[in-house]
Amino acid sequence: MKKILIIGATSEIAEATARLWAAQGHRLALRGRDGERLRAIAVDLGIRGAGAVDTAPLDVNDFDAHADAIDAACRALDGIDIALIAHGTLGDQKACERDFRRALRELDTNAISVISLLTHLGNRFEAQRHGTIAVIGSVAGDRGRQSNYVYGAAKGAVAIFLQGLRNRLHAAGVQVLTIKPGFVDTRLTRSFAKGPLWVGPGRIAADIVSAIDGKADVVYTPFWWRYAMLAIRAIPERLFKTLRL
Amino acid sequence: MELCGWGRYPRIDAQVSYPRSAAQCARSMGGAGSVVARGLGRSYGDSSLGPRVLDLRGLDHFLGFDQATGVLTCAGGVSLGDILRVFVPRGWFLPVTPGTRFVTVGGAIASDVHGKNHHVDGSFTDHVSGIELLLGNGERVAVSPTEAPELFHATCGGMGLTGVILSASLRLKPIRSGGIVETTIRAPDLDAVLAAFDDNAGASYSVAWIDCLARGRHLGRSLLMLGEHAADGPLAAPSATPWPVPFDLPAGLLNRATASAFNALFYGKALRERRTRRIPFARFFCPLDALADWNRLYGRPGFVQYQFVLPAAAGVAGLREVLGRIAASGRGSFLAVLKVFGPANAHHLSFPLAGYTLALDFKVEPEVLRLLDQLDRIVADHGGRLYLTKDARMSEATFKAGYPRWQEFESVRARYHAIGRFASTQSRRLGLQ
Ligand SMILES: Cc1cc2nc3c(=O)[nH]c(=O)nc-3n(C[C@H](O)[C@H](O)[C@H](O)COP(=O)(O)OP(=O)(O)OC[C@H]3O[C@@H](n4cnc5c(N)ncnc54)[C@H](O)[C@@H]3O)c2cc1C
Ligand SMILES: NC(=O)c1ccc[n+]([C@@H]2O[C@H](COP(=O)([O-])OP(=O)(O)OC[C@H]3O[C@@H](n4cnc5c(N)ncnc54)[C@H](OP(=O)(O)O)[C@@H]3O)[C@@H](O)[C@H]2O)c1
């Protein structure tokens, strides 16, 4: 039985992942800003087989609350084996272009809050010398495109931060996993027209669980995005800048 | 966005909201005008279509489970597949399982769905002990056979027209294995298959595939499938994800495939008169679920499913008339599904009644729509009716003749603030307020 902390636990991808862990009987601590929803999710996960489920509200943009929140979660779980950071917002790119305060908020939610959480978690995991830190990034962080480069920059920053952290925590035997989903049909992408490349959150969840079990460093999910992004990164910038992407 | 039912006919443009809680449901219903609830969209026609749709798949939490009694309480958007995945490994099964597990509890109640065990266990809502319903005025009420019973009877089988089913409690049944012992019996004609149903009235599950193109003395030749839960073995739930059908395929392909599958079994050596084998439950109950989006096999124009029930008294003569008509037209799907129903329940618009039900698919085309109008008359003449959750085209008159309690249904809706608040493209076509 593992002890698992999920931050941004009301996310559809996070909840689908928590269901798989619940079915395996693990203990879960859920954090997110919607306390009522967290409690409903906790009851559900309990019925699905979770060993125990603890909930407490956390707005990730309250950076000062991070240290205490992680301490409290560790106390509730009596230790921590896996931390999954899942929260994110897909801000309005156009609005960010007009108003830097909007861009700053997106960067706070999608990058700075994650870096703050990783700072606390990194130190704790380095000291305990075992466990997994997993973060949901995005294929959007692999290359900047005009349609969402504020979001992409945040996800890209987190990916590079995670590379460094992975390198540092390797000696301590801690797994650091970067999860890069492609197109996922969730609340975040409700207004998008959906094509054949879209998958449901359950598919991403299954990949997250198996990437953690398999001690992976980076996982593209579904797998074909690894090749798609390889191709996209290979396009010369001289050509790339002329594309409408 | 463009929406359609499982038959992909008709298609309409709808404004869709995605509530994730009861409070968000109430908010999405705000303002004037009506809404229609939608679950997994497995109804075939226009039952879950309308200009304003509440997509309830986000209401997908389990709320409580009583280990001692097997009573599960869950939100209306929970799918039957999810219930099976979680509870089969613990030794519990759905009391009633339709031909696909990709339906929601709300949809199963609203259509009062039946399975292969109707003759012994009744329909889905016969195992529902209570429902929490969100009314048109925003009120949340508990309804059950004893609390507001008239609203319970209108809601079960009521096609979402009384309110939003927020949650429900249902009684699961204990099993000792995830396997089904299936016996297949070959029946050379209609009399033989009906006699075989009779002889096996005690079977837990029974259903027949009937060859709709067979004529003359072969009319009604069938394969009858009987099932019993295996007494031991692993409690395994389906894990495989279905194979996608990524493109619309040429119509006609499905007919060739089902025809060869049927003929292989019917004439094959493996099956003389009777064959018994053990298979996983999903293969017995939901064989088509192995293929995601199989509705695309009918191509872009879509298809309609025609399912009717004839009272036992109309019996063989009525069935023979309909089958003869279909075989002569050469239009229907190769296979139809034939089932014997037990007695009806007390719900106003519930479909099953003691007798025979037959379901088959037709590609949408003008000649087919004319043929179906003719079939409607035969069904009505024999005192039968059509299944609302499969329907995309029946007339108001056909509906009102088949469902004589519609006025009672309307008066309950009027009393509980549903009129002008809940309506579907189908309910408007059928002349409901
Ligand atoms: C392959 C296949 C096999 C099938 N086999 C069978 C079978 O064997 N027996 C059988 O009886 N049926 C069968 N069906 C039909 C299916 O079970 C019903 O159409 C069922 O209602 C679909 O559920 P859904 O969640 O997809 O609902 P939808 O199709 O989305 O909606 C169906 C109706 O339920 C209402 N509704 C949905 N959710 C709610 C809610 N929460 N509150 C209020 N109203 C709601 C809608 O307004 C609509 O009127 C089959 C369908 C398919 C595609
Ligand atoms: N969907 C995709 O196509 C896709 C693709 C690539 C990557 N991703 C990433 O996957 C992750 C999960 O997203 P999802 O698709 O599951 O969408 P989602 O359901 O909308 O999840 C996003 C979550 O972030 C939470 N959140 C946002 N701001 C927060 C804050 N200040 N404090 C606490 N929580 C906050 C939201 O909480 P509330 O419930 O309170 O709103 C929500 O639970 C995100 O990191 C996203 O960037 C998604």
Side-chain angles (χ1 to χ4, degrees):
Chain A
M1 189 207 49
K2 296 198 180 108
K3 300 158 187 172
I4 304 173
L5 165 65
I6 305 180
I7 293 171
T10 55
S11 128
E12 289 188 31
I13 294 176
E15 188 176 353
T17 312
R19 287 180 179 186
L20 297 179
W21 280 327
Q24 299 172 353
H26 300 311
R27 287 171 65 171
L28 300 159
L30 311 180
R31 299 295 180 264
R33 62 181 166 183
D34 182 345
E36 195 181 327
R37 178 127 189 117
L38 285 179
R39 281 190 296 278
I41 294 173
V43 170
D44 174 74
L45 294 174
I47 296 170
R48 287 172 194 271
V53 191
D54 172 75
T55 67
L58 172 69
D59 185 324
V60 296
N61 284 331
D62 183 1
F63 303 152
D64 294 339
H66 288 184
D68 286 348
I70 290 171
D71 281 346
C74 286
R75 274 196 306 278
L77 289 173
D78 190 22
I80 179 167
D81 300 312
I82 299 174
L84 172 67
I85 300 181
H87 67 268
T89 50
L90 195 57
D92 180 341
Q93 169 68 29
K94 284 277 168 257
C96 291
E97 289 168 20
R98 283 192 302 270
D99 177 1
F100 172 69
R101 279 166 305 181
R102 291 287 290 268
L104 185 60
R105 198 163 75 213
E106 292 307 314
L107 292 168
D108 274 343
T109 308
N110 292 305
I112 306 304
S113 74
V114 179
I115 288 171
S116 162
L117 290 163
L118 287 174
T119 302
H120 300 293
L121 289 167
N123 294 338
R124 180 178 288 272
F125 277 70
E126 187 173 43
Q128 74 183 30
R129 298 188 69 79
H130 80 274
T132 299
I133 299 174
V135 182
I136 306 185
S138 170
V139 294
D142 277 14
R143 193 156 192 181
R145 297 178 298 131
Q146 60 178 310
S147 56
N148 69 350
Y149 60 85
V150 173
Y151 175 77
K155 293 293 192 186
V158 168
I160 292 184
F161 189 94
L162 287 168
Q163 283 174 349
L165 188 67
R166 179 178 304 119
N167 190 200
R168 170 184 151 208
L169 296 188
H170 174 71
V174 172
Q175 179 193 15
V176 175
L177 173 67
T178 309
I179 301 150
K180 298 187 179 182
F183 297 149
V184 195
D185 187 359
T186 67
R187 260 186 312 157
L188 206 68
T189 51
R190 201 66 90 195
S191 59
F192 292 40
K194 308 282 173 357
L197 287 180
W198 288 78
V199 299
R203 177 73 193 263
I204 308 302
D207 282 350
I208 293 176
V209 171
S210 62
I212 291 175
D213 291 345
K215 298 278 171 229
D217 298 317
V218 179
V219 60
Y220 284 83
T221 164
F223 69 91
W224 60 73
W225 286 98
R226 177 180 295 274
Y227 307 101
M229 296 318 295
L230 214 61
I232 287 172
R233 280 200 311 272
I235 300 171
E237 190 69 11
R238 185 196 301 270
L239 174 63
F240 198 78
K241 72 180 178 194
T242 65
L243 303 177
R244 297 181 60 112
L245 290 165
Chain B
M1 64 183 282
E2 190 183 71
L3 273 191
C4 58
W6 188 247
R8 305 170 86 209
Y9 168 85
R11 294 161 189 262
I12 60 140
D13 195 46
Q15 187 200 322
V16 186
S17 51
Y18 301 86
R20 299 213 302 167
S21 65
Q24 286 179 11
C25 277
R27 229 170 296 142
S28 314
M29 278 164 40
S34 59
V35 297
V36 60
R38 182 174 168 97
L40 278 157
R42 254 50 176 202
S43 53
Y44 279 72
D46 48 4
S47 310
S48 63
L49 304 182
R52 267 172 75 201
V53 172
L54 302 189
D55 183 324
L56 297 166
R57 285 174 299 172
L59 297 182
D60 68 341
H61 287 149
F62 292 130
L63 307 173
F65 181 62
D66 183 336
Q67 199 68 51
T69 58
V71 172
L72 170 69
T73 303
C74 65
V78 168
S79 79
L80 300 190
D82 206 12
I83 295 176
L84 290 167
R85 197 167 44 239
V86 172
F87 289 97
V88 166
R90 299 184 204 172
W92 296 98
F93 204 71
L94 288 168
V96 166
T97 310
T100 173
R101 58 185 191 273
F102 301 119
V103 308
T104 64
V105 166
I109 293 172
S111 301
D112 192 14
V113 302
H114 55 269
K116 299 172 174 41
N117 56 346
H118 190 274
H119 60 292
V120 281
D121 294 326
S123 53
F124 193 84
T125 61
D126 292 326
H127 308 271
V128 169
S129 52
I131 294 172
E132 190 185 13
L133 195 66
L134 176 64
L135 303 183
N137 63 354
E139 206 181 318
R140 288 161 68 169
V141 295
V143 298
S144 73
T146 52
E147 301 155 281
E150 74 284 23
L151 185 53
F152 183 74
H153 293 311
T155 299
C156 296
M159 303 309 287
L161 300 172
T162 58
V164 176
I165 297 162
L166 294 173
S167 68
S169 297
L170 49 131
R171 289 181 291 272
L172 302 183
K173 72 172 183 192
I175 50 168
R176 280 183 288 172
S177 157
I180 293 284
V181 178
E182 179 199 60
T183 299
T184 306
I185 298 173
R186 188 162 71 175
D189 58 32
L190 191 59
D191 288 326
V193 69
L194 297 183
F197 267 114
D198 257 0
D199 293 345
N200 294 285
S204 299
Y205 301 102
S206 61
V207 68
W209 288 350
I210 179 164
D211 171 356
C212 289
L213 302 185
R215 301 210 223 173
R217 65 192 176 85
H218 299 299
L219 186 82
R221 69 171 188 174
S222 313
L223 291 166
L224 174 65
M225 266 83 79
L226 308 172
E228 299 296 333
H229 288 283
D232 50 43
L235 287 162
S239 56
T241 36
W243 289 95
V245 177
F247 307 107
D248 294 356
L249 290 173
L253 205 67
L254 195 60
N255 247 355
R256 284 201 293 282
T258 49
S260 58
F262 181 90
N263 287 328
L265 248 185
F266 200 84
Y267 296 111
K269 283 204 203 66
L271 186 68
R272 289 257 186 265
E273 296 306 322
R274 206 182 163 97
R275 172 186 79 183
T276 299
R277 59 176 183 167
R278 188 184 166 123
I279 54 174
F281 76 82
R283 213 155 111 213
F284 181 75
F285 289 102
C286 322
L288 284 169
D289 283 355
L291 210 58
D293 306 329
W294 62 261
N295 52 350
R296 303 187 82 157
L297 297 173
Y298 278 96
R300 174 82 195 168
F303 65 106
V304 287
Q305 183 164 90
Y306 193 75
Q307 181 170 5
F308 64 88
V309 56
L310 294 183
V316 200
L319 269 182
R320 187 162 280 134
E321 198 177 341
V322 180
L323 276 173
R325 203 58 208 81
I326 294 169
S329 79
R331 295 242 171 229
S333 53
F334 175 75
L335 286 188
V337 175
L338 175 67
K339 163 101 208 102
V340 175
F341 278 153
N345 57 27
H347 310 323
H348 304 154
L349 298 189
S350 186
F351 169 65
L353 52 82
Y356 305 109
T357 181
L358 189 77
L360 74 163
D361 299 340
F362 291 87
K363 184 180 159 202
V364 176
E365 45 195 1
E367 306 81 75
V368 159
L369 296 177
R370 278 196 294 277
L371 169 69
L372 297 184
D373 286 340
Q374 294 166 10
L375 298 185
D376 286 356
R377 278 193 288 278
I378 304 177
V379 169
D381 287 347
H382 287 95
R385 62 184 173 216
L386 307 186
Y387 195 3
L388 291 169
T389 208
K390 307 283 177 86
D391 161 64
R393 33 72 49 199
M394 83 167 102
S395 70
E396 178 176 341
T398 303
F399 163 68
K400 289 182 174 172
Y403 291 88
R405 295 178 71 189
W406 69 271
Q407 277 159 310
E408 212 178 319
F409 177 69
E410 286 290 74
S411 73
V412 174
R413 289 183 69 222
R415 244 177 299 139
Y416 287 97
H417 318 284
I419 300 215
R421 302 296 287 143
F422 301 102
S424 60
T425 310
Q426 178 180 52
S427 73
R428 291 183 196 285
R429 172 164 50 78
L430 300 181
L432 295 171
Q433 288 275 296

